Amino acid sequence: MPRFVVEADGGSRGNPGPAGYGAVVLDPATGETLAERAEFIGVATNNVAEYKGLIAGLTAARELAPDATVLVRMDSKLVVEQMSGRWKIKHPDMKPLAARAAKILPRAQVTYEWIPRERNKHADRLANEAMDAGKRGEQWEPSRSTAFAAAPPAGPPGDAAKGAAAVRAAMASGGGTGTRAAAAAGTGADTLFGATDAPSGDAQARAAEAAAVRAASAVARDTDTLFGAAEAPAEAPAGADGTGPRPAAGSDGGHATRTAAGTGTAAGTGTGTGTGWGPDMGAPATFVLLRHGETALTPQKRFSGSGGTDPELSPAGRRQAAAVAEALAARGTVQAVVSSPLRRCRETAQAVADRLGLPVAVEEGLRETDFGAWEGLTFAEVRERFPDDLQAWLDSPKAAPTGGGESFTAVTRRVSAARDRLLSAHAGRTVLLVTHVTPVKTLVRLALGAPPESLFKMELSAASLSAVAYYADGNASVRLLNDTSHLR
């Protein structure tokens, strides 16, 4: 079942006075804008405009997928409480509007959440554009809207859409205070296990502007690794530009196409130190991402997902689990351990948890992709037996493996939902997630705002460590990718 977020707002310049509404439909997995609606409605009150914005947003969501579940986010406490059934609707102008909104989608498919006004800027901007158009004697036109660039969407935690939009807005405004604010929103000066000191004055402005450029380029925003400063990446081996053959993104052997990211350095290494000094948003939630140790299938580079034999760790895999357990115990910062339900992850997680003196929780959403009929086969064997299906899978994230497996689009939704649940449960904590190739790469991809094809351009070794920090404003920072120093 599809999932959408609807953000809606309305305003009146006079209350009552010239009024308009705005609404946006977002993909909760990526933060992508799926639809925008806005209209000048003549003379009306704020509440009438807000309800009409809600109606427009729900209607747009229904047009996209009538069976979708929808989370409505508004900064109108009145509308949220009334539509949730907690407040009575007394005003005669509100009753028909509320009834109309309630009929657009079945009640079981819609939930409501109040958000502060500063998190509803996209819809607010659309409403103001509609009122501005009405003042000119016109109606709002989507082609002339600047709402997305000017008001970054309040995307789900860990997606780069919000931070990237802030950077675009700051760069469009010519820098200055806006650039510094955008850089602060899109980056973080905190290292993985501590904070750096913030400079002041011109140095702060220059650093923030440089951070904005890096964020706009969709690179990782910090050079800190899990256990120290990142070294410069080695020269990328042949095929790192993606021109060579592309292997299975979620095969148990990782990716044969290697990139500089596979050297164990932080993604997006730069020449600067900590970046993006801004308001203190508190300690981020940090997910330390551990790919499980080797199984018998790993060195053979066979597809091994959640629809296969669920193999145990090999002797080499158990040694790897013990090594990473010692490394994490020496660091002493992990506060909770969460594992995929598959055996190879639970065994890896238990080895670490026993060393740290922590229990292991299981999260179903962290399981590997179901590779259908490809389970247990090598990439070459799949190419020989199912060439058309394999090519479709390589070409589109919506294509599923032969025999009813999961597409990368489906996996992204599942992993995103698991991420959100874990962030809610572990705010401000450092949590070890023991999982698989595709979930780790998906979390990194979403944090960077990278396209789906980037899954084929990341190396992820068995028992490797990666890390992503998630901030309270919805931004994320990739701190580490494919570190295997503890295995050497």
Side-chain angles (χ1 to χ4, degrees):
M1 180 179 293
R3 297 171 57 226
F4 298 140
V5 169
V6 168
E7 294 177 351
D9 198 11
S12 172
R13 294 171 180 172
N15 198 31
Y21 67 74
V24 57
V25 183
L26 304 171
D27 183 335
T30 65
E32 177 187 1
T33 297
L34 304 177
E36 290 180 327
R37 298 289 187 269
E39 184 182 2
F40 175 68
I41 59 174
V43 175
T45 65
N46 279 327
N47 294 149
V48 167
E50 288 164 347
Y51 262 109
K52 291 199 172 184
L54 169 63
I55 290 168
L58 289 173
T59 301
R62 183 183 63 187
E63 290 170 355
L64 289 169
D67 61 337
T69 57
V70 177
L71 170 62
V72 176
R73 299 195 293 216
M74 299 181 68
D75 59 59
S76 171
K77 190 75 170 177
L78 177 80
V79 175
V80 168
E81 294 299 319
Q82 288 181 341
M83 292 303 299
S84 299
R86 293 185 289 268
W87 289 3
K88 291 183 179 180
I89 305 173
K90 298 179 181 179
H91 198 286
D93 291 344
M94 302 298 109
K95 290 182 178 180
L97 293 172
R100 182 178 167 192
K103 292 179 180 179
I104 296 171
L105 289 169
R107 184 179 181 86
Q109 291 177 214
V110 185
T111 55
Y112 292 85
E113 176 186 343
W114 177 85
I115 57 175
R117 184 176 181 183
E118 58 269 19
R119 288 182 56 197
N120 202 26
K121 289 183 178 179
H122 194 155
D124 177 76
R125 179 67 180 226
L126 288 169
N128 277 285
E129 286 183 356
M131 287 184 277
D132 291 341
K135 186 176 180 179
R136 299 190 301 267
E138 304 170 356
Q139 272 294 351
W140 178 82
E141 296 180 17
S143 61
R144 297 174 63 179
S145 176
T146 61
F148 178 78
D159 292 320
K162 180 180 178 184
V167 172
R168 286 196 296 272
M171 296 181 73
S173 70
T177 302
T179 304
R180 290 193 293 273
T187 61
D190 298 309
T191 65
L192 189 57
F193 299 106
T196 59
D197 293 330
S200 59
D202 292 340
Q204 178 175 344
R206 288 193 299 272
E209 289 172 4
V213 173
R214 287 194 292 275
S217 302
V219 299
R221 293 179 289 262
D222 294 275
T223 63
D224 306 309
T225 66
L226 189 61
F227 302 112
E231 299 175 355
E235 181 179 356
D241 60 356
T243 58
R246 298 198 297 179
S251 62
D252 202 24
H255 289 193
T257 303
R258 298 179 58 88
T259 70
T263 63
T265 62
T269 53
T271 58
T273 56
T275 60
W277 298 275
D280 181 10
M281 289 174 285
T286 299
F287 287 173
V288 179
L289 310 173
L290 171 59
R291 185 190 169 197
H292 61 80
E294 285 187 9
T295 72
L297 300 179
T298 306
Q300 301 175 31
K301 299 189 182 299
R302 295 184 179 275
F303 282 91
S304 182
S306 58
T309 58
D310 196 14
E312 65 181 352
L313 292 179
S314 65
R318 287 192 286 274
R319 289 193 297 271
Q320 291 168 340
V324 74
E326 288 301 319
L328 291 171
R331 187 68 229 185
T333 54
V334 170
Q335 297 167 287
V337 178
V338 181
S339 175
S340 155
L342 299 185
R343 184 175 181 178
R344 53 196 181 271
C345 285
R346 287 188 288 107
E347 290 178 346
T348 304
Q350 196 62 57
V352 176
D354 288 346
R355 182 66 180 82
L356 299 181
L358 295 171
V360 176
V362 173
E363 167 55 63
E364 291 287 334
L366 295 179
R367 68 182 186 276
E368 180 59 286
T369 306
D370 183 343
F371 292 111
W374 302 352
E375 294 278 0
L377 302 180
T378 66
F379 186 81
E381 289 169 340
V382 172
R383 183 168 50 196
E384 179 181 354
R385 301 182 194 183
F386 311 103
D388 293 340
D389 289 350
L390 178 62
Q391 190 59 52
W393 182 73
L394 293 172
D395 289 342
S396 172
K398 296 181 180 179
T402 310
E406 282 183 293
S407 69
F408 283 145
T409 297
V411 173
T412 297
R413 291 197 181 99
R414 167 166 59 78
V415 171
S416 297
R419 174 202 62 196
D420 293 349
R421 287 192 296 271
L422 292 169
L423 285 173
S424 178
H426 298 285
R429 306 180 77 203
T430 298
V431 183
L432 180 69
L433 307 187
V434 186
T435 180
H436 310 262
V437 170
T438 311
V440 172
K441 292 186 178 184
T442 297
L443 290 168
V444 170
R445 178 182 80 78
L446 291 174
L448 293 175
E453 56 266 28
S454 64
L455 293 174
F456 295 103
K457 298 184 178 182
M458 285 185 268
E459 176 82 5
L460 205 69
S461 303
S464 64
L465 289 165
S466 303
V468 181
Y470 297 91
Y471 291 87
D473 66 347
N475 284 284
S477 176
V478 175
R479 300 304 181 87
L480 185 69
L481 181 64
N482 195 43
D483 178 32
T484 57
S485 59
H486 51 281
L487 302 178
R488 296 195 288 271

